[in-house]
Amino acid sequence: MIKQLKTFTVNLVAGANIATVILMLCAGFSDRLNPAEYPLLSCFGMAFPIFLVVNLLFLFFWLTFKWSKAWIPILGYALAYVPISIYMPVNMRQDLPEGTIKLLSYNVCQYGGNHKYEQGFDTVYNYLKRQNADIVCIQEDADTWRRFVMQRYAKIYPYNDTTIFRNDREGLNGVGIHTRFPIIRKERIWYKSAANGSVAYYLKMDNGDTLLVINNHLEGTHLSKEDRANYKRMLRGKMERDTVKEESMLLLDKLATAAAKRASEVDTVHKYIETHRQYPMIVCGDFNDNPISYSRRTIAQGLTDCFVKTGKGIGLSYNQKGFFVRIDHILCSEHFQPFNCQIDDEMDASDHYPILCWLKMQEKH
């Protein structure tokens, strides 16, 4: 009787582990789903880290009580190698060759995202001055005192531009670029959005080539402060079961609606990239989407995800507690070799951390 009970328990746990592996794979490859067609299912990628952890617990269980079954979680990780390497890559730090350019992308939350700093703009400005990047792409590079801001930026960068997407009672938003390379021209990548946008900047590099830099601020989640507070309460277990179910469905619906809106923006940016592949290209910005998402996967087609290629760890770029995601990305064309892409989590002047990368132009053949 005891032996039969033990066998039944082992089979039950094995079945649960197999189910976890299947769900992990479904979440890991959910970035293939277009949110416009499958809005709810496309958000499944957000659960990928949960299944990674649960599968790890199964692995510890099998190694402790029945090591012969450890093949189940190990096989699961092997099958999920691609999404795992996207979500949390493991790369060694590299030595920088001569001739690299440094790019920094940063959502500054209108220079007031972290109210612990009384002088939000000065904090960001001094940080950028210390970083001395060749190209700085800023999202939410918007405020009510543009003349003052541009005069300050002109002290550290000879070429500066900001494109405002919205400036009314409902809000203010835009993206900007600050660089040592001359700006030849810029082009707005047009798609329907109330307050977000993408801008293609054409820069003249030192070798005479034209570099295309696409700075993006894609559709946000539109979660209110109350939504975020309720989400954190759920994580802490400080909410009744019925309320948890109701709030979960509300949050999921908002996330799915935002993902569907973002999908059309992503498709438009991808088409622009496809029609301008003759240029050396850098695509960056706040995608407002996690690494296992239709947004990142679609825009990254034919490009190198610099963090996946050279970064290390999860790389959390959105620093609000309870939201453990990397939503800021840097991608480059085959013209470049990326080095040491990283999230600077010591710079907390916004609700995002900056993402940095060094790029070396490949020799022409």
Side-chain angles (χ1 to χ4, degrees), residues 29 56 65 68 177 181 242 251 261 288 329 359 364:
F29 292 98
L56 182 63
F65 297 103
S68 62
I177 191 169
F181 298 117
D242 292 342
L251 288 173
K261 290 181 179 179
N288 268 310
H329 307 276
L359 301 162
K364 298 179 180 179

Side-chain angles (χ1 to χ4, degrees), residues 110-111 120-122 142-150 172:
Q110 299 180 20
Y111 303 103
F121 175 78
D122 286 339
D143 52 70
T144 57
W145 19 278
R146 293 307 313 159
R147 182 177 299 178
F148 167 74
V149 168
M150 297 305 280
L172 176 64

Side-chain angles (χ1 to χ4, degrees), residues 185 187 200 202 209-214 266-283 295-305 331-336 361:
R185 65 186 179 93
E187 184 177 4
Y202 292 81
D209 286 345
T210 298
L211 170 64
L212 172 56
V213 179
I214 300 178
V266 166
D267 290 339
T268 302
V269 173
H270 174 64
K271 289 178 182 178
Y272 190 92
I273 291 171
E274 288 296 310
T275 57
H276 293 80
R277 287 201 175 275
Q278 69 271 29
Y279 295 102
M281 188 184 308
I282 299 171
V283 181
S295 299
R296 192 214 67 89
R297 178 178 176 273
T298 300
I299 293 180
Q301 289 180 28
L303 301 174
T304 299
D305 186 316
L331 315 165
C332 66
S333 64
E334 59 184 6
H335 301 83
F336 293 100
M361 177 75 83

Side-chain angles (χ1 to χ4, degrees), residues 53-80:
V53 173
V54 174
N55 196 51
L56 182 63
L57 295 177
F58 275 115
L59 178 59
F60 289 150
F61 175 85
W62 294 127
L63 291 176
T64 303
F65 297 103
K66 188 82 172 175
W67 64 267
S68 62
K69 294 290 185 180
W71 66 268
I72 299 175
I74 292 174
L75 178 61
Y77 285 134
L79 294 174

Side-chain angles (χ1 to χ4, degrees), residues 46-307:
M46 297 182 66
F48 183 65
I50 297 175
F51 295 118
L52 285 179
V53 173
V54 174
N55 196 51
L56 182 63
L57 295 177
F58 275 115
L59 178 59
F60 289 150
F61 175 85
W62 294 127
L63 291 176
T64 303
F65 297 103
K66 188 82 172 175
W67 64 267
S68 62
K69 294 290 185 180
W71 66 268
I72 299 175
I74 292 174
L75 178 61
Y77 285 134
L79 294 174
Y81 171 76
V82 172
I84 290 174
S85 65
I86 292 173
Y87 183 79
M88 47 183 300
V90 179
N91 298 290
M92 300 298 291
R93 189 169 182 83
Q94 306 155 291
D95 293 328
L96 295 179
E98 293 185 5
T100 58
I101 62 173
K102 182 179 180 181
L103 183 134
L104 186 152
S105 178
Y106 191 15
N107 183 324
V108 298
C109 197
Q110 299 180 20
Y111 303 103
N114 190 334
H115 299 291
K116 66 186 283 188
Y117 298 103
E118 293 183 3
Q119 300 297 327
F121 175 78
D122 286 339
T123 304
V124 173
Y125 174 84
N126 291 328
Y127 170 77
L128 296 178
K129 187 176 181 179
R130 292 193 303 271
Q131 287 297 318
N132 193 31
D134 298 286
I135 302 172
V136 174
C137 289
I138 293 183
Q139 301 83 46
E140 298 193 31
D141 189 14
D143 52 70
T144 57
W145 19 278
R146 293 307 313 159
R147 182 177 299 178
F148 167 74
V149 168
M150 297 305 280
Q151 287 177 348
R152 292 288 300 279
Y153 274 129
K155 294 181 180 180
I156 54 176
Y157 287 106
Y159 306 100
N160 304 276
D161 185 87
T162 299
T163 300
I164 300 298
F165 304 136
R166 184 175 198 170
N167 185 7
D168 55 32
R169 293 181 179 179
E170 299 298 322
L172 176 64
N173 194 23
V175 300
I177 191 169
H178 309 283
T179 175
R180 69 176 184 82
F181 298 117
I183 301 172
I184 301 173
R185 65 186 179 93
K186 72 174 181 178
E187 184 177 4
R188 176 86 179 266
I189 302 176
W190 287 100
Y191 49 73
K192 185 178 180 180
S193 178
N196 303 284
S198 301
V199 178
Y201 293 96
Y202 292 81
L203 311 181
K204 186 177 181 180
M205 301 185 69
D206 293 336
N207 64 0
D209 286 345
T210 298
L211 170 64
L212 172 56
V213 179
I214 300 178
N215 189 2
N216 302 274
H217 188 276
L218 303 179
E219 197 75 26
T221 58
H222 302 295
L223 296 181
S224 65
K225 290 183 179 180
E226 183 180 358
D227 293 332
R228 297 172 191 270
N230 287 336
Y231 171 73
K232 293 177 182 179
R233 286 176 58 206
M234 283 191 287
L235 291 181
R236 299 189 187 104
K238 297 181 178 181
M239 189 176 287
E240 297 295 330
R241 180 175 298 180
D242 292 342
T243 306
V244 167
K245 183 178 180 180
E246 181 180 345
E247 286 295 330
S248 297
M249 292 306 299
L250 178 63
L251 288 173
L252 187 59
D253 181 65
K254 287 190 174 183
L255 292 173
T257 300
K261 290 181 179 179
R262 193 159 49 245
S264 63
E265 301 172 0
V266 166
D267 290 339
T268 302
V269 173
H270 174 64
K271 289 178 182 178
Y272 190 92
I273 291 171
E274 288 296 310
T275 57
H276 293 80
R277 287 201 175 275
Q278 69 271 29
Y279 295 102
M281 188 184 308
I282 299 171
V283 181
C284 65
D286 177 6
F287 290 10
N288 268 310
D289 225 334
N290 70 92
I292 311 297
S293 65
Y294 178 82
S295 299
R296 192 214 67 89
R297 178 178 176 273
T298 300
I299 293 180
Q301 289 180 28
L303 301 174
T304 299
D305 186 316
C306 297
F307 191 86

